[in-house]
Amino acid sequence: MNRLANLIREALINLRRNVLVVTGAVLAVFISLALAFGAVVVNEMLRTNIRAWQEGTHVIAFLKDVDEGGLTPEQQQELKAEVETWTEVKAPVAYVDKLGAYEEFKTWFSDRPELVESIDATVLPSSFRIELNDIDQYQAVTARLDVNPAVKEVKSLGPQIESLSTLSRVLNVLGLGLALVLGVSAVILIANTIRMAIYARRDEVSIMKLVGASNWYIRVPFVLEGLIEGLAGAVLAVLAIWIPSQNLSGATASIPLIQLTISNGFFLRWGVLLVLFGAAAGVIGSLLGLSRYLREADGGAQPGAA
Amino acid sequence: MIRLQDVTKVYEGGTVAARDVTLDIQKGEFVFLVGASGSGKSTLIRLMLRQEPITRGQIWVAGKDITALPNWKVPYLRRSIGTVFQDFKLLPNKTVAENVAFALEVLGRPRSVIGPQVEQVLDLVGLDDKGDRYPRQLSGGEQQRVSVARAFVNRPPILLADEPTGNLDPANSVGIMKLLDRINRTGTTIVMATHDHAIVDAMQRRVVALERGVVVRDQASGRYDAFIAGDVEAPPAIDNDAMEEIVPDQPDDLGEASA
């Protein structure tokens, strides 16, 4: 217990006395992990947005009026029920009658009253607003609606949504790839920084060996230092991404199209992962950096005695 | 206490630093290893500490063949050997007291024991009022006394010194030698590599002379230079009283510290 207290005290004293090197190590961890974490967060934002954009109406079928050879509103309800049975279609299908279309038109163009006045409630067609289970199936649905004699015109967001999906997939791969590269460079940076810190103190290591310190006695303070540096850098990185992103989501909450709010659960999950990663990188970096100096100070293999 | 049997050390590149060195050092002896630079004195010290691999031969320390010692046991060997070097080898970012305490912390001694022991040994080397200074704030002679204190604080049976006076002026050198002499009188075996003629001549202890890795002379109560019998008369020896005169203000309360 006493020994452990000594070792921890030793590590803390060393941290205090090597402020510059320690700051360097913490910054190295901080910058690389913050970049990696930032990439993960941006990736998650894109993913939620694209998912949000993919929700809602995918296909609109405008219906003929009765005088155009179309169906009566009652018959249109029957057609709606039929469309809802299609496997590609997510029930319920929204039905907007002619009056509803006029109201919608009025709200869209409320800032241009002359346009609203030029149109009367009977002109706009009624329509089905259809959401698909899988947007990739939009072509089958539009084709089937197109041939229906009661349908005047079919509009689909399919092509746009399809390219959005492709974009989403590409961004996913890119984002995760970037996070991976930055994560690996974080480990290398940490290992290198700690190695340099140990190089600066190699005399200390050799003196420790001289007075009979065991390898573990020498390692523990360095490993504790690496652990503390890795933890500090990782915690800073998580905070540096989390806090601004909270502010950002607050500032953009009123913008309907983009959604920059990411659940705290996501941050917590990745934050814990990142902190563990930083701690592990610090420990591994210290052990790697030390191994050479520890080996050098020992008499090594004894060929004569073998 | 220490026995070297046919010790040979060839460095990479073929330099022979020791050739078939056989030595037997008894418990409580004070042995000078003398010779010019490159004669192999330091190599023998390093081999005794297991700081480098031996090429051939065996070294026994306290009855154990250290050439066959597994690496993980090397720290235990070094804990039974105090070391003093020409360049002091103090940790610059630790105070004097911390430097000395370090040797005890490594052994896992409780702090309640470390404190008084450090105080006692600093008292022994006459630095009891400088425990909270840093090495850079001390003179060379004082730094070397700190390193002697560190070497002796856990009362090792053996003390190895490699040119401990190499960086010191004569007055400070005498101070260090008086310390080592005192430590030797507590029963500690001391092996000291040096090329300081005056000290070797004054101490009149066993002298092992090396030349290009070979023992050329092993003489109880010897002098630095060999004298061919009947050629010249040996110059008068400087005794310990003469050393007292050079450094009269040495602390003299060492008896209890070394008890």
Side-chain angles (χ1 to χ4, degrees):
Chain A
M1 220 42 233
N2 213 304
R3 207 155 167 170
L4 188 70
N6 265 345
L7 289 169
I8 292 170
R9 198 171 53 96
E10 184 85 356
L12 289 176
I13 289 172
N14 279 334
L15 283 175
R16 213 179 56 225
R17 280 177 178 166
N18 301 298
V19 176
L20 205 64
V21 176
V22 170
T23 310
V26 172
L27 275 181
V29 179
F30 166 66
I31 290 170
S32 38
L33 288 188
L35 286 173
F37 194 34
V40 168
V41 167
V42 168
N43 194 52
E44 172 69 7
M45 282 178 177
L46 284 171
R47 226 163 52 85
T48 28
N49 275 301
I50 286 168
R51 208 168 40 214
W53 294 336
Q54 286 172 349
E55 275 165 11
T57 305
H58 300 134
V59 176
I60 301 176
F62 294 102
L63 303 172
K64 287 180 185 162
D65 290 346
V66 180
D67 52 7
E68 291 171 325
L71 304 169
T72 63
E74 293 73 33
Q75 288 168 320
Q76 286 177 345
Q77 286 299 329
E78 283 166 25
L79 179 60
K80 176 178 121 117
E82 189 204 320
V83 171
E84 280 174 347
T85 62
W86 296 353
T87 51
E88 300 93 336
V89 172
K90 192 186 274 177
V93 167
Y95 172 72
V96 179
D97 62 12
K98 296 173 73 69
L99 197 66
Y102 181 60
E103 293 300 324
E104 208 175 50
F105 187 84
K106 278 204 289 189
T107 40
W108 284 351
F109 297 101
S110 57
D111 52 339
R112 296 177 66 186
E114 77 285 353
L115 205 65
V116 175
E117 273 163 34
S118 70
I119 296 246
D120 76 75
T122 60
V123 170
L124 296 168
S126 53
S127 59
F128 292 155
R129 309 288 165 87
I130 300 164
E131 191 175 340
L132 301 177
N133 286 320
D134 182 355
I135 46 162
D136 290 339
Q137 294 166 322
Y138 76 98
Q139 274 167 323
V141 175
T142 48
R144 232 175 301 163
L145 286 168
D146 249 338
V147 297
N148 193 305
V151 174
K152 184 156 63 177
E153 195 184 357
V154 181
K155 290 265 188 219
S156 170
L157 288 172
Q160 291 86 339
I161 287 171
E162 217 170 38
S163 59
L164 208 60
S165 298
T166 314
L167 181 71
S168 148
R169 269 193 295 274
V170 169
L171 286 175
N172 254 321
V173 171
L174 271 183
L176 289 180
L178 190 65
L180 197 73
V181 168
L182 287 169
V184 170
S185 66
V187 177
I188 294 171
L189 264 175
I190 293 161
N192 209 34
T193 309
I194 289 173
R195 218 189 162 115
M196 262 159 55
I198 291 165
Y199 183 77
R201 282 157 63 188
R202 63 199 186 285
D203 290 344
E204 200 173 322
V205 172
S206 73
I207 291 170
M208 285 167 112
K209 294 230 63 157
L210 205 61
V211 297
S214 67
N215 281 352
W216 274 110
Y217 188 90
I218 297 170
R219 268 189 209 121
V220 169
F222 280 105
V223 168
L224 276 178
E225 277 181 64
L227 181 72
I228 292 169
E229 288 165 359
L231 277 178
V235 166
L236 284 177
V238 171
L239 292 180
I241 299 297
W242 194 338
I243 291 170
S245 87
Q246 294 296 90
N247 293 338
L248 197 68
S249 79
T252 57
S254 54
I255 305 172
L257 201 58
I258 27 177
Q259 205 223 357
L260 297 182
T261 311
I262 289 178
S263 71
N264 280 342
F266 173 85
F267 273 112
L268 210 63
R269 219 166 40 241
W270 276 92
V272 167
L273 205 68
L274 215 68
V275 167
L276 288 179
F277 181 84
V283 169
I284 291 167
S286 305
L287 289 177
L288 282 180
L290 262 178
S291 60
R292 230 187 78 213
Y293 298 106
L294 289 183
R295 242 180 300 121
E296 260 175 17
D298 265 326
Q302 304 281 308
Chain B
M1 201 48 154
I2 305 174
R3 197 155 81 82
L4 285 72
Q5 184 72 50
D6 302 324
V7 168
T8 300
K9 171 69 188 179
V10 183
Y11 284 105
E12 264 175 71
T15 311
V16 181
R19 190 192 298 274
D20 296 325
V21 174
T22 297
L23 267 181
D24 212 337
I25 296 166
Q26 299 302 316
K27 181 169 167 25
E29 255 192 300
F30 196 127
V31 181
F32 284 112
L33 298 177
V34 303
S37 297
S39 58
K41 315 184 290 286
S42 295
T43 296
L44 288 185
I45 299 259
R46 292 176 62 78
L47 287 174
M48 288 179 218
L49 276 170
R50 254 296 285 275
Q51 283 187 312
E52 37 188 69
I54 195 169
T55 308
R56 190 153 39 79
Q58 259 115 47
I59 299 175
W60 285 270
V61 173
K64 285 207 182 86
D65 180 0
I66 66 157
T67 52
L69 206 61
N71 273 352
W72 65 270
K73 275 189 177 170
V74 170
Y76 298 97
L77 165 73
R78 292 185 186 157
R79 286 172 201 181
S80 63
I81 302 176
T83 47
V84 180
F85 290 89
Q86 180 172 5
D87 57 359
F88 319 138
K89 293 208 193 297
L90 299 175
L91 294 169
N93 54 3
K94 282 184 188 290
T95 64
V96 166
E98 285 169 350
N99 260 290
V100 177
F102 186 61
L104 292 175
E105 284 167 10
V106 159
L107 306 180
R109 296 280 155 79
R111 292 182 78 186
S112 56
V113 173
I114 291 175
Q117 255 184 301
V118 169
E119 214 170 293
Q120 199 180 32
V121 82
L122 283 180
D123 201 39
L124 170 80
V125 300
L127 291 172
D128 44 323
D129 54 340
K130 293 187 172 165
D132 52 358
R133 302 277 185 91
Y134 286 90
R136 61 175 180 278
Q137 298 170 316
L138 302 180
S139 72
E142 286 171 328
Q143 289 188 48
Q144 193 61 297
R145 279 194 262 160
V146 176
S147 116
V148 171
R150 182 183 62 191
F152 189 58
V153 69
N154 68 334
R155 304 293 191 270
I158 298 166
L159 197 147
L160 300 181
D162 192 358
E163 305 272 10
T165 60
N167 276 346
L168 304 180
D169 59 39
N172 274 312
S173 297
V174 171
I176 292 296
M177 289 320 295
K178 283 171 60 65
L179 264 178
L180 293 182
D181 184 43
R182 213 150 247 152
I183 287 169
N184 175 238
R185 284 184 201 176
T186 68
T188 307
T189 308
I190 296 187
V191 179
M192 173 172 158
T194 185
H195 53 228
D196 190 324
H197 292 238
I199 282 171
V200 176
D201 291 349
M203 295 283 288
Q204 298 183 309
R205 301 302 181 95
R206 181 176 168 189
V207 172
V208 174
L210 291 160
E211 235 171 68
R212 275 182 234 144
V214 178
V215 175
V216 292
R217 179 163 55 98
D218 186 349
Q219 201 176 5
S221 189
R223 303 178 54 84
Y224 192 95
D225 296 301
F227 293 97
I228 299 154
D231 191 2
V232 261
E233 197 187 327
I238 307 164
D239 61 14
N240 277 346
D241 291 342
M243 285 166 58
E244 297 285 351
E245 280 163 29
I246 304 170
V247 186
D249 58 339
Q250 280 295 300
D252 215 355
D253 51 353
L254 312 179
E256 63 164 61
S258 51

